[in-house]
Amino acid sequence: MVCKPLPLRELGFQSTLELVTQMPDVVRVCSSSKTGTIILKAIVDDSTRGIAKLVASQKVNTHSKASKKTATKANATSPTKNSKNPQGFQALSARTPVLPAMVKAELQDLLS
């Protein structure tokens, strides 16, 4: 799965966001009411608690070029403030696909 696109269609999903909403024990989908930005937060378990602690204690360098580029890119692709249904966040169909345990485990590993 490294350096390859997720096989969303084969798994029965239309978008990455639809996929992660079906994994509440792996990732939490949050949205900012101020900017309309969607943020994915990994769910911490015993095996990832140490990593989460290290990440939480990192200092953010707001003056670096890389973070400015990332912020600009994120702003360009984020939905508008007035958007009730951001692009790619489509309503789930009546037949919600089931994510195979192996794929879920791989995604959880990638997110950790």
Side-chain angles (χ1 to χ4, degrees), residues 24 54 67:
L54 290 172
S67 65

Side-chain angles (χ1 to χ4, degrees), residues 9-60:
R9 302 256 188 255
E10 290 85 358
L11 296 171
F13 296 99
Q14 299 296 316
S15 68
T16 306
L17 195 53
E18 187 179 340
L19 169 73
V20 297
T21 58
Q22 295 302 308
M23 301 186 312
D25 54 328
V26 176
V27 64
R28 186 174 67 201
V29 180
C30 305
S31 61
S32 170
S33 59
K34 293 178 185 177
T35 63
T37 303
I38 296 173
I39 300 169
L40 302 178
K41 293 186 178 185
I43 303 297
V44 178
D45 63 8
D46 291 336
S47 66
T48 59
R49 196 165 312 283
I51 295 168
K53 188 174 179 181
L54 290 172
V55 171
S57 64
Q58 284 181 331
K59 292 183 180 179
V60 177

